[in-house]
Amino acid sequence: MVSRRVATLLVATLIVLAGCSAGEQLTPGPTATEQPTAAQTQQSATATAPNGTLEVHFINVGQSLSTLVVGPTGETMLIDTGDWRDDGQLVLAYLQRHGITRIDYLVSSHGDADHIGGNAAVIEYFETEADGVEAIYDQGLASSSQTYERYLDAVERHEVTLYRTQAGDRIPMDGVEATVLGPPEGYLDSPERNENSVVVKLTYGETSFLFTGDAEDDGERYLVETYGSDLEATVLKAGHHGSKSSTSDALLDVVDPEAVVISSSYDSQYGHPDPVVLDRLGSRSIPTYWTATHGDIVLASTGEQVTVQTQRAAPTEATAIRSGDPVEPGLDEPVAVRARLLPGETETPDGEPATVVSREGTLTLAAVNADAAGDDGTNLNDEYLVLENTGDGTLSLGNYTVSDASDRVYTIPTGTELSPGESITIHSGAGVDTATDLYWDAGRPVWNNDGDTVTIRDADGTVVLREDY
């Protein structure tokens, strides 16, 4: 960990507040920060083999953003602190409810007041009533807002280390690879705060999370052209609260996320998330979580899979998320497991309908009839499973395997496909396969009447669905 010292603030030009917040009175503001870069003062972090859990908390802060990251060894990172209108109170209340006593890394994606709204309050609280803020990572572009001025005043008053952060820096979070991908040295063509947002990618084992701040067309184009497929991530935080100028097709093509999280208010005055973005996500069948309808969203990674927990169950089909009921920011309600993300699939937990979301469609275990009428041993065709495609794209199931808890295996014939809304029944008995019925020809009952486990693997052997009944 770097030692604590005072950041030096030098005079620079005033910049008028721009971006996604509105309505705050602007005043001749603080100077821009000429901080040392993180790369100049610290060594790169080295991520070890996963040992423990990485948690990423998307806090429901309305038309704003704040994300708490708790590393596998307990270190904490807070990315942005919500809107200036509540002065960090939503974020502080959340941190206190979750027993957070120290912020190791405070990342300010950019200086807009809907992202740094709680910076001053967070610094003040942790420096006077808790165990402190170790270091702040800032893009280094000034804002003329009072919110930004209070933030820098708190930095000076409590002598918190402040780094100007740029592409190539590493944030030394223990056990996690935390890489800064933007802004580039010297910034993009103009020192516009949104486009030069601090972009962070967290990698933990086989899982990863990409945070792009409010980067828009130019910022995303820089990321795609600079990093290409290295941007691939398990979870993407949608850019600029779901604005149509962000989360572009080009970015989605290279990130190829298993899920996207959007942070904005239910009745956003800016129309966030924009229908154009929702259509982009929907056309790719990417599960989409929205703080406005799911409430607080907690993603827990073991390094192999990510468990999705939300306060409320709500639609995750991107084009349907507005049909969910609004969740008030600050709601003190526990989260519940809604899904599990693995490489290439999404699996819901035991006790709920099993659903796997792929880029092609959505495979659902619609029914299990384990107790055949009459004698199970002679009426095998009345023992069956029903698989359904509840997604928007066609599912190719050829060479997928179905097995029970005893590892008896059935291979789905090559060429088997399910169009959206279609289902197929797999009978344990013998017969002639059709487009709607397949026959295992197992010779004896497969599924235990008193409970069993249905496991489906794709052609590469990856588990895409596992359901106990």
Coordinates of all heavy atoms in Angstrom, one line a residue, residues 18-22 63 110 112 114-115 194 214 240-241 269-270 272:
A18 N -20.0 19.7 -17.7 CA -20.7 19.1 -18.8 C -21.1 17.7 -18.4 O -20.7 17.2 -17.4 CB -19.8 19.1 -20.0
G19 N -21.9 17.1 -19.2 CA -22.2 15.7 -19.0 C -23.6 15.5 -18.6 O -24.5 16.2 -19.1
C20 N -23.9 14.5 -17.8 CA -25.3 14.0 -17.6 C -26.0 14.6 -16.4 O -27.1 14.3 -16.2 CB -25.3 12.5 -17.5 SG -24.3 11.8 -16.1
S21 N -25.3 15.4 -15.6 CA -26.1 16.0 -14.5 C -26.5 17.4 -14.9 O -26.0 18.0 -15.9 CB -25.2 16.1 -13.3 OG -24.1 17.1 -13.5
A22 N -27.5 18.0 -14.2 CA -28.1 19.3 -14.6 C -28.6 19.9 -13.4 O -29.0 19.3 -12.4 CB -29.1 19.1 -15.7
Q63 N -30.6 8.4 -10.5 CA -30.0 8.9 -11.8 C -28.5 9.3 -11.5 O -28.1 10.5 -11.5 CB -30.7 10.1 -12.3 CG -30.2 10.6 -13.7 CD -30.2 9.6 -14.7 OE1 -31.1 8.8 -14.8 NE2 -29.2 9.6 -15.6
H110 N -15.0 10.5 -13.3 CA -14.8 11.9 -13.9 C -15.5 12.8 -12.9 O -16.2 12.4 -12.0 CB -15.4 12.0 -15.3 CG -16.8 11.7 -15.4 ND1 -17.4 10.4 -15.1 CD2 -17.9 12.4 -15.8 CE1 -18.7 10.5 -15.3 NE2 -19.0 11.7 -15.8
D112 N -18.0 15.0 -13.0 CA -19.4 15.5 -13.0 C -20.1 15.2 -11.7 O -19.8 14.2 -11.0 CB -20.2 14.7 -14.1 CG -19.8 15.3 -15.5 OD1 -18.9 16.2 -15.6 OD2 -20.4 14.8 -16.5
D114 N -22.9 14.2 -10.7 CA -23.7 13.0 -10.5 C -22.8 11.8 -10.3 O -23.3 10.7 -10.1 CB -24.7 12.8 -11.6 CG -24.0 12.5 -12.9 OD1 -22.9 13.0 -13.1 OD2 -24.7 11.8 -13.8
H115 N -21.5 12.0 -10.3 CA -20.6 10.9 -10.0 C -19.7 11.1 -8.8 O -19.3 10.2 -8.2 CB -19.7 10.6 -11.3 CG -20.4 10.0 -12.4 ND1 -20.2 8.6 -12.7 CD2 -21.3 10.5 -13.3 CE1 -21.0 8.3 -13.8 NE2 -21.7 9.4 -14.1
N194 N -16.5 13.4 -19.9 CA -17.2 12.1 -20.1 C -16.3 11.2 -21.0 O -16.0 10.0 -20.6 CB -18.5 12.3 -20.9 CG -19.6 12.7 -19.9 OD1 -19.4 12.9 -18.7 ND2 -20.8 12.8 -20.5
D214 N -18.6 7.4 -18.0 CA -19.6 8.0 -19.0 C -19.0 8.1 -20.3 O -19.4 9.0 -21.1 CB -20.0 9.4 -18.5 CG -21.2 9.3 -17.5 OD1 -21.6 8.2 -17.1 OD2 -21.6 10.4 -17.0
H240 N -22.6 5.6 -19.5 CA -23.4 6.8 -19.4 C -24.8 6.6 -19.1 O -25.8 7.1 -19.7 CB -23.3 7.6 -20.7 CG -23.6 9.1 -20.5 ND1 -23.5 10.0 -21.6 CD2 -24.0 9.8 -19.5 CE1 -23.9 11.2 -21.2 NE2 -24.2 11.1 -19.9
H241 N -25.1 5.7 -18.1 CA -26.4 5.4 -17.6 C -27.4 4.8 -18.6 O -28.6 4.9 -18.5 CB -27.0 6.6 -16.9 CG -26.1 7.4 -16.1 ND1 -25.8 7.0 -14.8 CD2 -25.4 8.5 -16.3 CE1 -24.9 7.8 -14.2 NE2 -24.6 8.7 -15.1
Q269 N -34.9 12.0 -16.3 CA -35.3 13.1 -17.2 C -34.5 13.1 -18.5 O -34.9 13.8 -19.5 CB -35.0 14.4 -16.5 CG -33.5 14.6 -16.1 CD -33.2 15.9 -15.4 OE1 -33.5 17.0 -15.9 NE2 -32.6 15.8 -14.2
Y270 N -33.5 12.3 -18.6 CA -32.7 12.1 -19.9 C -33.2 10.9 -20.7 O -32.6 10.7 -21.8 CB -31.3 12.0 -19.5 CG -30.8 13.0 -18.6 CD1 -30.6 12.7 -17.2 CD2 -30.5 14.3 -19.0 CE1 -30.1 13.7 -16.3 CE2 -30.1 15.3 -18.1 CZ -29.9 15.0 -16.8 OH -29.5 16.0 -15.9
H272 N -32.9 7.8 -19.8 CA -32.1 6.6 -19.6 C -32.8 5.5 -19.0 O -33.6 5.7 -18.1 CB -30.9 7.0 -18.7 CG -30.0 8.1 -19.3 ND1 -29.2 8.9 -18.5 CD2 -29.8 8.5 -20.6 CE1 -28.5 9.7 -19.3 NE2 -28.9 9.5 -20.5

